[in-house]
Amino acid sequence: MKTVAAALLSLVMGQPSEGRPELTPTAIMAGRLLVQRLFGGSSDLMDYDNVPTTVFTPLEYGCVGLSEEEAVARHGQEHVEVYHAHYKPLEFTVAGRDASQCYVKMVCLREPPQLLLGLHFLGPNAGEVTQGFALGIKCGASYAQVMRTVGIHPTCSEEVVKLRISKRSGLDPTVTGCG
C-alpha cells in the first residue's frame, strides 16, 4: 500500500515507485531532492538502496540492506556469511520473558573485510538500532569494523557488536549471558 506522499511524488516525478520503498520518509527525502534539483541547482538523485525500515508491532522488527536470500541470489551462497544470535534484552530479564523471541542477523560478504550487506533485528527498540546501523551500511562498513566497536551496555544495539556465530558454523546462536 502506497503512502500518500509516495503516490504524489510518483505523479510529480513521472516515475513509478514500483520496486522502491513506499515509505513516507523516503518520499519526503526524494521530494526534497527534487525541489533542490528544480530550484537549487543540485544534481543529487534519491538513493533507494539500503533504506532502513521498521515494523512497529509490540515486538519490533527492523531491517536495512539485503535479506539473506537476496544476498545469496546476488552474490552466491559461497560468498555470503550470516552472523546471528537470539538474545535476551534487559527488559525481558526483569519480566522473566522468553529470550527466543528476540533475534539479530547480520548479512555480510564472506571475503575479508566482509562488507555488511544487511541487518535484521527483532526485538525492543528495533527502529533505533536499525537507524544507527543503516549509516554504517550506507558508508560501506565491514564486519571487522563492527566487531571493533564498543557496545553500550546494557542496550539492545550492543547485541549487534557481539555477533560471533555464523550460520555456516552450525553452532547454537542462543546468547547465554553477558559477554
Side-chain angles (χ1 to χ4, degrees):
M1 180 173 173
K2 286 186 181 185
T3 64
V4 173
L8 287 173
L9 185 62
S10 184
L11 288 173
V12 169
M13 293 179 62
Q15 297 176 341
S17 58
E18 186 77 29
R20 295 179 176 166
E22 296 177 359
L23 305 165
T24 299
T26 307
I28 290 169
M29 180 177 271
R32 281 190 190 134
L33 292 170
L34 173 63
V35 168
Q36 290 170 3
R37 283 194 309 277
L38 292 174
F39 303 106
S42 174
S43 61
D44 290 344
L45 297 173
M46 179 65 191
D47 180 2
Y48 290 97
D49 288 335
N50 299 321
V51 173
T53 191
T54 300
V55 179
F56 294 101
T57 51
L59 190 59
E60 293 179 15
Y61 168 71
C63 64
V64 61
L66 299 179
S67 69
E68 183 177 346
E69 295 77 14
E70 290 168 331
V72 167
R74 189 176 292 181
H75 300 284
Q77 182 71 45
E78 66 280 2
H79 299 291
V80 174
E81 193 72 70
V82 177
Y83 297 92
H84 66 144
H86 290 280
Y87 68 96
K88 190 169 192 170
L90 181 63
E91 55 265 48
F92 278 32
T93 303
V94 174
R97 291 182 63 187
D98 180 16
S100 67
Q101 298 174 43
C102 297
Y103 182 72
V104 60
K105 173 167 64 171
M106 187 184 308
V107 182
C108 306
L109 285 175
R110 193 166 181 207
E111 298 278 326
Q114 292 189 287
L115 294 179
L116 302 185
L117 300 175
L119 180 76
H120 303 269
F121 195 93
L122 180 64
N125 308 303
E128 301 296 333
V129 172
T130 304
Q131 182 68 66
F133 283 94
L135 177 62
I137 289 175
K138 277 286 209 190
C139 292
S142 70
Y143 175 77
Q145 290 171 317
V146 173
M147 293 306 105
R148 288 192 305 266
T149 302
V150 175
I152 300 170
H153 184 72
T155 65
C156 291
S157 62
E158 175 187 29
E159 299 303 326
V160 178
V161 303
K162 295 179 354 184
L163 287 174
R164 301 288 191 279
I165 297 173
S166 71
K167 279 191 167 183
R168 190 181 309 275
S169 75
L171 297 172
D172 181 4
T174 305
V175 176
T176 57
C178 294

